[in-house]
């Protein structure tokens, strides 16, 4: 919503931020409870000693998109910037998680944004595991559109935390 974006740009201190967040959720009513459940699930599933699960890439995906319709684990070959792939190696293989969302299971607001961008077919997010860390390596635009879809058209009829 354009007026909320203008409000957000005017935030100057913690008091302004607290007021903005309170007003933001007040305008969305029952969505706050729905999203809170997803945040709790993300914290439980993806948190570690250093980072809340909701603040991780997988946690963000769970909050914005819900659980994936399908998931697969694979390995991806990546550039080896630090020589860990072996002597003379310029690449290494790391485990990856692929979260697949079937097109018909996406929220209507997100489906509209994807169609406007010319994105066809199912949506896939790819997370790369490096040691204890997992990060999103494919799907940033999808995540940005998912966040925008909640701001522009909240849908509390979603039921799957």
């Amino acid at each position: 919503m354009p007026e909320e974006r203008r409000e957000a740009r005017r935030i100057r201190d913690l008091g302004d931020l607290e007021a903005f967040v309170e007003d933001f959720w007040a305008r969305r009513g029952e969505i706050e409870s729905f999203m809170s459940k997803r945040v709790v699930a993300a914290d439980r599933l993806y948190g570690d000693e250093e980072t809340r699960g909701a603040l991780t890439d997988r946690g963000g995906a769970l909050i914005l998109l819900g659980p994936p319709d399908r998931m697969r684990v694979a390995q991806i070959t990546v550039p080896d910037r630090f020589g860990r792939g072996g002597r003379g190696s310029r690449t290494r293989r790391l485990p990856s998680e692929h979260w697949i969302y079937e097109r018909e299971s996406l929220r209507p607001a997100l489906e509209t944004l994807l169609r406007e961008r010319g994105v066809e077919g199912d949506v896939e997010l790819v997370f790369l595991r490096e040691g204890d860390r997992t990060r999103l390596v494919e799907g940033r635009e999808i995540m940005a559109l998912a966040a925008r879809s909640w701001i522009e058209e909240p849908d509390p009829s979603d039921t799957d935390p």
Side-chain angles (χ1 to χ4, degrees):
M1 297 181 179
E3 63 274 1
E4 284 181 339
R5 286 189 203 119
R6 283 191 293 276
E7 271 181 56
R9 283 191 213 97
R10 290 193 292 264
I11 294 172
R12 298 290 178 243
D13 58 31
L14 187 57
D16 291 347
L17 177 60
E18 288 171 349
F20 175 80
V21 169
E22 188 174 314
D23 290 345
F24 178 90
W25 286 117
R27 287 189 288 266
R28 283 160 178 79
E30 61 203 62
I31 291 255
E32 181 178 14
S33 172
F34 174 77
M35 291 302 243
S36 292
K37 289 177 185 172
R38 283 190 174 180
V39 168
V40 168
D43 283 344
R44 184 172 37 87
L45 292 167
Y46 304 117
D48 60 35
E49 287 124 26
E50 296 177 21
T51 308
R52 283 184 60 185
L55 299 178
T56 66
D57 288 343
R58 288 185 298 173
L62 181 66
I63 293 166
L64 293 173
L65 293 164
D69 296 309
R70 294 185 319 275
M71 185 186 300
R72 69 182 172 86
V73 177
Q75 288 203 354
I76 295 178
T77 301
V78 298
D80 189 0
R81 298 184 306 239
F82 304 108
R84 291 181 286 210
R87 213 167 94 195
S89 176
R90 294 178 188 228
T91 63
R92 62 185 170 136
R93 295 181 59 76
L94 293 173
S96 61
E97 286 182 20
H98 299 250
W99 291 19
I100 297 116
Y101 295 87
E102 296 173 4
R103 195 59 175 238
E104 53 275 358
S105 72
L106 299 174
R107 301 179 59 254
L110 177 55
E111 166 58 30
T112 299
L113 292 171
L114 291 169
R115 198 172 344 101
E116 288 171 0
R117 290 276 192 323
V119 177
E120 301 291 329
D122 294 342
V123 168
E124 182 174 358
L125 303 178
V126 179
F127 300 92
L128 189 63
R129 283 194 239 157
E130 294 181 273
D132 294 341
R133 300 274 181 233
T134 303
R135 64 184 171 92
L136 182 66
V137 293
E138 291 180 30
R140 291 244 177 251
E141 180 183 13
I142 302 301
M143 292 289 289
L145 292 174
R148 185 173 151 202
S149 76
W150 279 104
I151 292 169
E152 293 182 1
E153 195 176 317
D155 182 1
S157 66
D158 286 331
T159 57
D160 202 359

